[in-house]
Amino acid sequence: MLATLEKIIRKKLNEVQGYYGHLPVFAQNLAVTARGYILSKMRYNTIFWKTLDRLRKHDNFTYEQMIYYQNQRLRETIAFAYQKTPYYHRVMAEAGLSPEDIQCIDDLKKMPILTRDDIRRYFRDLLVKDRAENQRIIVYTSGTSGSGIPIAYDAETLAKQWAFLARQGLWAGVDPRDWRVTMFGSKIVPETQNKPPFWRYNLFEKEILLSIFHLSEYNKKAYLHFLHKHEGKILDGFASVLGIIADMILQENDCIPMKIVRSTGEPLSQSYRRKIERAFNCQVYDNYGMTEWVGLIQECERGGMHLISDFGVLEILDENNNPVPPGVEGYFVWTGLIRKEMPLIRYKIGDKGMWKKNQFCPCGRPYPLVDPTITRDSDILKTPDGKLFSPRVINQFLKDKVSFKTCQFIQEDSRRVIVRIVPGKGTYELDARRLVKDLISVIGTSMLFSIEYAKEPIKRDSGKIPLIINKSN
């Protein structure tokens, strides 16, 4: 029932957004809280608490016990995918494989690599075939390439995924139901609103959502005043958004103490970490994850970035899909261990990283140390009226644009932006017009957007593909 409601809400979100924008603020808070009620029931249910209890026990495993658990879950995942999805039944049969051929992590090399293009092309065949459609929630992710792909999950997977995030909170000494301020992509404040409050309340989840679409020098005072009122709470957000807020605080020679800061959604550079910790006078906990929910890397209280082995299997491979040794950068290839609605096996997401040479962490937990390297190195988009849009904000507009191979934004000067698209198959011209319309609805008409099609994305000298290139800096 709850999954059906969530599916309906997501499907009607754009349509409902217009009505929501005309409500008074107190009614918007009620609407956000009502949505929070549905999400809280899906997230903090019996499955969540049982999973969290089990995960806490995993923290005390030996490394050998964790490998044994991984292999057991891997065998179950392979058998499930073979039996329940047309895609894996077909590709395994074509490769002459049966589930019995995959007994451990080392056997995964027998399976073919799954790419983003494969997901786009075979999405329906990757779905579990005997699941009721109303229990299937479909979302979109643009990843690091600036092009969207569809991903499906169910209520059970959502609760389990939420338990993994809660376990990291326990490492940091915070309760799963503590009050938190979040800075993510929800459009909870109408785009046309130009004065506070730029926040809305989700009372059921003890969450205050702070708009990331209204950050500007003009609104800086309101944002900092709000954060001072909520000192000591948990602060969650995208790394680049947290960096913008930290800059605002430090420019005022200010400090706003928070309990902890959790960064996710994009790489956290050392320079961002330092200024965020200075601005909020607390430890920053980094997270590497993705909408596909196949892999997770989390920072512990001692600063180690750990592969969360009970969430997914990670291979780090070179250009020829061979394993790389510790200390050598390679491509992340993930096999999810908690997904039921849409299993993803040997999924090459496009990100890179390396195994740490020194695998010792003082925390003592049985999760290997990994160094995710930065895959997207982007600037900030700045409007003539002083608004600041981080890469993760702009990224929100790309998630449902599935016909792009890549998309980048070139800010030529204070008013002109080129939307540079490497087209894929399908209605890319229609998606490009929709994208510009979406951008104007949030950024306004102070900027002129033009569309340009290209054969390849622009790369930095390092080989990284920036989402935003700001030539006006």
Side-chain angles (χ1 to χ4, degrees):
M1 177 63 176
L2 291 171
T4 303
L5 281 173
E6 177 64 9
K7 183 183 178 75
I8 293 170
I9 290 169
R10 284 186 173 274
K11 190 173 182 179
K12 300 287 186 180
L13 205 55
N14 288 336
E15 182 182 323
V16 171
Q17 200 85 39
Y19 298 107
Y20 171 88
H22 290 96
L23 295 174
V25 171
F26 83 88
Q28 291 177 0
N29 282 322
L30 288 176
V32 171
T33 295
R35 173 85 187 285
Y37 173 79
I38 296 170
L39 291 174
S40 68
K41 292 298 182 182
M42 292 178 70
R43 289 168 172 168
Y44 300 105
N45 55 22
T46 302
I47 294 172
F48 167 86
W49 292 110
K50 284 184 177 179
T51 302
L52 182 58
D53 184 58
R54 186 176 69 250
L55 296 182
R56 296 181 72 177
K57 293 174 183 175
H58 290 179
D59 285 352
N60 296 316
F61 275 10
T62 64
Y63 179 74
E64 290 73 22
Q65 286 174 317
M66 180 53 68
I67 292 294
Y68 179 85
Y69 175 84
Q70 267 195 312
N71 285 333
Q72 183 182 45
R73 291 291 299 121
L74 177 62
R75 289 191 291 271
E76 293 170 1
T77 299
I78 295 292
F80 180 84
Y82 179 81
Q83 294 162 8
K84 299 289 187 179
T85 69
Y87 177 81
Y88 282 110
H89 191 91
R90 183 177 71 250
V91 298
M92 290 179 71
E94 289 171 353
L97 295 172
S98 70
E100 290 71 29
D101 293 313
I102 312 297
Q103 292 293 309
C104 63
I105 295 170
D106 192 52
D107 289 336
L108 271 174
K109 61 179 178 285
K110 302 173 185 177
M111 294 284 290
I113 295 289
L114 179 74
T115 67
R116 289 174 61 85
D117 282 342
D118 290 331
I119 292 178
R120 196 178 285 113
R121 188 178 303 126
Y122 302 115
F123 171 67
R124 284 288 159 187
D125 283 351
L126 282 160
L127 300 177
V128 172
K129 58 188 176 185
D130 60 358
R131 191 65 57 91
E133 193 66 31
N134 63 354
Q135 297 299 307
R136 182 178 287 150
I137 300 168
I138 297 176
V139 295
Y140 292 87
T141 174
S142 65
T144 57
S145 64
S147 64
I149 58 171
I151 297 293
Y153 67 89
D154 58 9
E156 179 183 340
T157 305
L158 172 64
K160 288 180 178 179
Q161 189 264 354
W162 208 246
F164 279 90
L165 301 182
R167 180 175 62 176
Q168 188 199 27
L170 295 176
W171 296 353
V174 299
D175 186 85
R177 300 309 302 266
D178 282 349
W179 274 96
R180 68 191 195 276
V181 177
T182 59
M183 301 190 71
F184 295 121
S186 298
K187 296 177 185 176
I188 40 86
V189 177
E191 295 91 344
T192 54
Q193 184 175 315
N194 55 18
K195 61 181 180 180
F198 299 115
W199 44 88
R200 299 293 183 267
Y201 290 82
N202 170 7
L203 299 178
F204 275 109
E205 291 199 282
K206 294 185 177 179
E207 176 188 20
I208 311 171
L209 296 89
L210 191 54
S211 173
I212 64 175
F213 298 98
H214 294 74
L215 285 169
S216 68
E217 283 296 319
Y218 182 79
N219 295 329
K220 175 168 69 174
K221 184 177 179 181
Y223 274 84
L224 300 195
H225 179 72
F226 165 85
L227 288 168
H228 269 299
K229 284 182 63 178
H230 296 281
E231 290 181 8
K233 288 185 171 65
I234 300 165
L235 177 61
D236 293 337
F238 297 135
S240 57
V241 174
L242 293 169
I244 290 172
I245 284 285
D247 281 336
M248 290 179 174
I249 294 169
L250 297 176
Q251 286 165 7
E252 298 297 313
N253 293 317
D254 201 354
C255 177
I256 303 177
M258 304 301 282
K259 193 168 188 177
I260 63 166
V261 173
R262 290 183 295 205
S263 170
T264 190
E266 54 193 341
L268 177 68
S269 68
Q270 286 303 311
S271 61
Y272 269 52
R273 179 187 292 274
R274 284 193 293 269
K275 66 184 177 185
I276 292 168
E277 288 181 340
R278 279 179 57 207
F280 295 107
N281 193 32
C282 67
Q283 187 169 348
V284 176
Y285 287 79
D286 194 11
N287 285 271
Y288 167 94
M290 72 289 290
T291 306
E292 294 92 329
W293 292 352
V294 289
L296 190 60
I297 300 170
Q298 293 178 316
E299 185 174 1
C300 73
E301 72 277 14
R302 304 303 292 268
M305 288 295 287
H306 293 273
L307 164 67
I308 305 305
S309 314
D310 41 4
F311 189 92
V313 174
L314 173 63
E315 302 170 81
I316 306 182
L317 308 179
D318 63 18
E319 294 279 358
N320 299 313
N321 295 327
N322 296 313
V324 299
V328 176
E329 186 182 64
Y331 290 96
F332 282 174
V333 177
W334 292 99
T335 298
L337 298 179
I338 72 165
R339 297 192 60 89
K340 289 289 187 183
E341 182 58 41
M342 183 181 175
L344 298 176
I345 299 165
R346 299 202 85 197
Y347 173 44
K348 190 173 185 179
I349 194 170
D351 293 343
K352 288 184 176 181
M354 64 183 74
W355 300 110
K356 299 283 283 187
K357 285 185 177 181
N358 182 0
Q359 283 290 316
F360 172 75
C361 182
C363 79
R365 298 186 183 94
Y367 312 114
L369 294 173
V370 185
D371 182 12
T373 50
I374 295 175
T375 53
R376 179 184 283 171
D377 180 17
S378 289
D379 300 329
I380 302 292
L381 194 73
K382 300 178 182 179
T383 67
D385 55 359
K387 287 183 180 178
L388 305 171
F389 292 93
S390 80
R392 210 58 177 80
V393 175
I394 299 299
N395 187 271
Q396 303 303 307
F397 303 111
L398 293 171
K399 291 189 173 184
D400 62 345
K401 311 303 187 294
V402 296
S403 64
F404 301 164
K405 285 186 177 179
T406 63
C407 182
Q408 295 170 289
F409 300 85
I410 320 299
Q411 184 165 2
E412 294 288 328
D413 54 41
S414 63
R415 293 185 179 276
R416 292 187 300 128
V417 174
I418 296 172
V419 181
R420 192 175 187 276
I421 296 165
V422 178
K425 294 180 180 179
T427 58
Y428 64 86
E429 291 179 323
L430 176 61
D431 279 349
R433 292 194 295 271
R434 285 175 52 229
L435 173 58
V436 170
K437 184 179 178 181
D438 291 345
L439 289 165
I440 291 172
S441 73
V442 172
I443 295 175
T445 56
S446 62
M447 304 197 81
L448 178 63
F449 295 95
S450 59
I451 299 169
E452 178 181 292
Y453 297 107
K455 292 183 178 179
E456 297 290 339
I458 297 172
K459 295 183 179 181
R460 305 279 199 202
D461 292 339
S462 62
K464 294 162 186 171
I465 301 173
L467 181 66
I468 300 170
I469 300 173
N470 193 331
K471 296 181 179 179
S472 69
N473 285 340

